[in-house]
Amino acid sequence: MHWAPIEKQPQSWAVRPNLLDYAVTCADFSWDDVRREFAGLPGGRGFNIAHEAVDRHAAGPRRDHLALRWLGSDDTVRDFTYGELKSQTSRCANLLTGLGLGKGDTVAVLADRIPELYIAALGTLKNTSVFCPLFSAFGPEPVCQRLRRGDARVLVTTERQYRHKVAPFRATLPRLQHILLVDAPDHGSDGLLSWSRLMAEAADSFVIPPTDPEDVAVLHFTSGTTGMPKGALHVHQAALIHYITGRYVLDFHPDDVFWCTADPGWVTGTSYGIIAPLLHGITNLVDEADFDATRWCRILETQRVSVWYTAPTAIRRFMRLGVEPVRSYDLSRLRVIHSVGEPLNPEAVVWGEKALGLPIHDNWWQTETGGIMIANFPALEIRPGSMGRPLPGIQAAIVRRTGPDSVELIADPEAHGDLALRPGWPSMFRGYLHDEERYRACFVGGWYLTGDLARRDGDGYFWFVGRADDIIKTSGHMVGPFEVESTLMEHPAVVEAGVIGKPDPLIGELVKAFVTIKPGIEASDELRLELIGFARKRLGAAVAPKEIEFQANLPKNKAGKIMRRLLKARELGLPEGDLSTLEKSE
Ligand code: AMP
């Protein structure tokens, strides 16, 4: 690999962290002060993420600064300055306007981490349409379900993704009007359009329409325990959180090169893999390739990465490389490392110090919060194993439900409870698309209940305990057991299925399914493999079960619901807990 290193910056590398005194910063903090740092759209026409992330810099001294460096799997490099990013995203916005898309229309993108994904995301925001990323490792079922539920009118994708995942189901997607293929040289039949041709024809300047800070900007699907995925709606002013966490948590400084390894198919890859670094006018690095520890070391070295945002599964994989091989790279530019998505084990924090010369900071947030809420801050003491303390401006607490609409605060530093946030921060989700009831149910007694269990120690550090529901976190990706169960039950041999997350030392949890098959069918290894293949084809490798176990009966409660909690306890050899609701026939 021979990527050109990013030009050496004249800055002294001994920078002062942006947040030095946590208590003082919290005491002085106001969202209005953050808001005042943005001029907004010219002529007082509102607040648009793409203006703040791209056009604002392109119109000022950062015009020729490297905004996006893309590293291709085949070692190709594509660079975009802020000026170039402005032209490209304006072309995309014009292209969408030309197709009749405007405010509130959904543009879905199903692609690997290619430059067009980033241009489409920002162009969509410019056009005041709604960007909806779809993870490229999803199979046809999760993809089509999200396109349908998200009312997508345009899909930006590649030939391969389209043919395999969307084309066979096109008839079930009546609202999907245009498919833009980034690798098609010319337009085809069936409403298939060539992205490159339309981009070449579109003008490279665009006036962003008036944008209300509360206009919906991004639609992120996240899995639930029951029912189909939930579409969390985020608004333009969510960028205030991306901006302020860029300053206080990721500690951005003007000459930073930032690398967020998350895929934009997940919220981290959008909020931090696209928006936050650009809001700060710094260089954002994107690697197209999948994880490879040696490649990652080379990227960190040659690209002179100074701030790195990654995930526990990646760090655990990295740890396998050993301390010495990592130390043989010159990582002297690296200043801040953060991790999110799953519990970061204390050994990983300590390993970071040995191998990378820096501790790894854990932080916590979720799709619904839109941005980082709890973090270990660079200038503060790290408590390995803890998620850290709330961001200034964020009120977090541990609560216990006391009634249908009431909670009480838990002050005991040893006690576990529901992790709750006081509603009202700018990036809070504004709804679940088409599911007002589910949205309302998240707010109890004046708090947003996150679905996580945690505790808060005497010094205000939060410690993750687990999920309050059956959601699975595998390689940092959320998987809803219901989606997997529904797919398995489409197989003719399956009567019912119960799916759990089985703890795994590398990927956090692996998806395991317990399956009851029809009488007369043999529970063989062939069938097991067939079911795994069946699920993979439909759901994609990121979601499909890795293990399947046949069981004559699955434990159910009196309402006939499979008790995943019990399946998990039995799998782990843990106490079975309260069995009063277990149906006797089990
Ligand atoms: P997602 O909405 O896919 O980003 O997943 C959010 C969920 O991931 C949270 O509700 C937690 O269950 C988990 N999570 C995120 N960050 C952390 C962390 N630092 N430690 C433990 N769990 C985390």
Side-chain angles (χ1 to χ4, degrees), residues 340-343 362-367 452 464 467 473 478:
V340 73
E342 316 154 60
D362 192 11
N363 64 67
W364 176 95
W365 59 292
Q366 55 181 193
T367 303
D452 282 357
F464 183 77
R467 287 286 309 177
K473 260 287 165 119
M478 241 190 195

Side-chain angles (χ1 to χ4, degrees), residues 43-260:
R45 287 177 303 113
F47 181 94
N48 183 296
I49 294 175
H51 171 76
E52 306 301 338
V54 183
D55 289 15
R56 181 171 61 110
H57 303 302
R62 293 245 136 189
R63 182 177 174 80
D64 297 323
H65 192 78
L66 188 54
L68 187 71
R69 166 164 284 188
W70 176 80
L71 308 173
S73 306
D74 63 354
D75 293 0
T76 325
V77 177
R78 280 180 68 187
D79 284 345
F80 299 84
T81 62
Y82 277 93
E84 287 159 352
L85 201 55
K86 178 181 177 189
S87 309
Q88 292 291 323
T89 54
S90 292
R91 283 183 191 278
C92 174
N94 280 316
L95 177 168
L96 294 172
T97 307
L99 293 177
L101 267 85
K103 189 170 287 201
D105 292 324
T106 303
V107 177
V109 181
L110 171 67
D112 294 332
R113 289 180 297 279
I114 53 176
E116 291 80 0
L117 186 163
Y118 296 81
I119 291 163
L122 293 160
T124 300
L125 297 176
K126 249 186 189 179
N127 195 45
T128 64
S129 302
V130 178
F131 170 58
C132 175
L134 300 173
F135 187 42
S136 62
F138 278 155
E141 268 185 34
V143 165
C144 290
Q145 215 169 65
R146 284 159 176 78
L147 285 172
R148 215 172 292 126
R149 234 180 131 68
D151 303 324
R153 287 187 58 194
V154 166
L155 172 67
V156 179
T157 188
T158 58
E159 292 256 20
R160 189 179 56 83
Q161 292 272 1
Y162 174 72
R163 295 270 164 240
H164 173 48
K165 298 175 186 174
V166 183
F169 310 95
R170 188 80 190 272
T172 68
L173 300 163
R175 283 184 64 89
L176 187 60
Q177 292 168 302
H178 308 285
I179 314 278
L180 307 187
L181 298 176
V182 300
D183 45 359
D186 227 321
H187 302 325
S189 53
D190 301 336
L192 299 181
L193 299 170
S194 158
W195 159 275
S196 49
R197 187 162 153 195
L198 290 176
M199 282 289 281
E201 288 166 4
D204 68 355
S205 70
F206 181 82
V207 177
I208 299 180
T211 313
D212 191 287
E214 281 294 306
D215 280 346
V216 175
V218 181
L219 168 62
H220 268 296
F221 280 96
T222 179
S223 298
T225 333
T226 55
M228 286 306 165
K230 306 173 278 187
L233 296 163
H234 289 284
V235 296
H236 278 268
Q237 67 166 318
L240 299 185
I241 286 274
H242 306 143
Y243 180 73
I244 208 66
T245 48
R247 175 186 292 167
Y248 289 145
V249 180
L250 299 167
D251 198 43
F252 290 155
H253 284 70
D255 293 316
D256 274 329
V257 174
F258 174 61
W259 184 24
C260 169

Side-chain angles (χ1 to χ4, degrees), residues 102 189 311 391 547:
S189 53
L391 180 77
E547 277 185 21

